Amino acid sequence: MTKIPIYFVPGLAAGPEIFEHLELSPEKYTFHYLKWIKPLALEESISNYAMRMSDEIKEENPVLVGVSFGGIMVQEISNFIDAKKVIIISSVKTSDELPKRFKMAKFTKAYKFFPTNIVTNFEDYAKYFLGKSLKKRAKIYKKYLSVRGKTYLNWSISSVLNWKQDKPKENLVHIHGTKDHVFPIKHIKDAIEIKGGTHVMILTKAKKISKIIDESLTF
């Protein structure tokens, strides 16, 4: 049996580690993990960035799986390759699904003042805003938020807020949690809902997500 290649793209500032809890059969699939690359400049278009990232895809007719900003990115990558299917998790499939606060941030340009150094120097800031009971959570953030270049973070935030897509892609599967506070479910249409799933459900609801991915590719 020919195995189906799956290429994974993590969320903003995250590394491939966020997919470590998925339970997909290595007898059916081959797994490839795309890493964030440095933008050529803050003005680089998301389309050009996706084209450069697509150079890392060597398999034909792959499945693209993206989480959060990675979900936006796999949709952009699908413009440059023939994908068997695009699966987005905790993400949006059109600009209209972005929450109002994102649109306001775009309009006011407030995102340009986001303190990206808090993420870039997470360990230095954590001691000031995390109590002892949250130290364990801080370690988790440190593990999964492994991509912290300031240029990359500024570029990513701008790219999310300025992303333009009017219609959903064909052959797309959208998996979304009902408790997602980054992209609230009330703005999301035609998604497979996971009850109680938050924006980080790739870590906490991995078994359910794995089942949905598998079923969407085998039935």
Side-chain angles (χ1 to χ4, degrees):
M1 182 179 72
T2 302
K3 296 182 181 181
I4 299 173
I6 303 180
Y7 283 80
F8 297 92
V9 180
L12 192 155
E17 297 83 5
I18 69 168
F19 298 107
E20 65 184 7
H21 299 301
L22 290 179
E23 300 176 5
L24 296 168
S25 173
E27 295 182 358
K28 296 170 64 175
Y29 309 106
T30 60
F31 309 113
H32 311 269
Y33 302 92
L34 298 180
K35 296 182 179 180
W36 295 110
I37 56 180
K38 185 177 180 180
L40 297 177
L42 287 175
E43 296 77 21
E44 182 177 13
S45 69
I46 191 172
S47 178
N48 194 74
Y49 186 99
M51 180 182 66
R52 293 198 295 123
M53 186 175 269
S54 71
D55 289 340
E56 299 300 317
I57 298 176
K58 308 302 181 183
E59 306 284 344
E60 293 185 359
N61 202 31
V63 174
L64 303 177
V65 177
V67 173
S68 192
F69 181 43
I72 291 175
M73 189 56 63
V74 293
Q75 292 174 74
E76 290 291 325
I77 291 174
S78 71
N79 292 328
F80 300 100
I81 67 166
D82 292 323
K84 178 182 180 68
K85 195 176 289 290
V86 176
I87 300 175
I88 65 173
I89 303 163
S90 306
S91 189
V92 293
K93 54 188 174 292
T94 68
S95 310
D96 289 338
E97 290 186 339
L98 290 170
K100 290 182 179 179
R101 64 179 180 276
F102 279 47
K103 298 173 183 178
M104 182 62 70
K106 173 185 174 181
F107 178 75
T108 62
K109 306 293 184 182
Y111 64 91
K112 292 186 177 182
F113 302 100
F114 181 80
T116 52
N117 55 329
I118 289 180
V119 178
T120 305
N121 303 300
F122 180 78
E123 290 84 356
D124 293 336
Y125 284 89
K127 59 186 177 182
Y128 295 111
F129 60 84
L130 293 180
K132 292 182 179 180
S133 63
L134 295 180
K135 284 185 178 180
K136 183 177 180 180
R137 186 175 297 178
K139 289 181 179 180
I140 293 175
Y141 290 157
K142 179 182 177 181
K143 176 181 179 180
Y144 294 112
L145 296 179
S146 58
V147 185
R148 310 190 203 176
K150 188 172 183 179
T151 299
Y152 159 76
L153 290 171
N154 284 323
W155 174 84
S156 298
I157 293 168
S158 176
S159 294
V160 172
L161 297 180
N162 291 285
W163 186 55
K164 296 179 181 179
Q165 184 155 292
D166 298 327
K167 297 180 180 179
K169 293 280 186 180
E170 294 183 5
N171 205 25
L172 181 145
V173 175
H174 189 172
I175 307 171
H176 212 84
T178 60
K179 296 294 184 180
D180 192 315
H181 295 302
V182 176
F183 299 128
I185 192 69
K186 66 181 180 180
H187 301 300
I188 304 299
K189 298 179 181 178
D190 302 320
I192 300 172
E193 296 183 7
I194 292 185
K195 188 175 181 180
T198 65
H199 195 65
V200 295
M201 67 179 184
I202 190 66
L203 302 177
T204 60
K205 304 286 186 180
K207 187 173 183 178
K208 290 184 178 180
I209 292 172
S210 299
K211 183 178 179 181
I212 294 170
I213 292 175
D214 188 54
E215 289 178 348
S216 70
L217 297 178
T218 55
F219 292 99

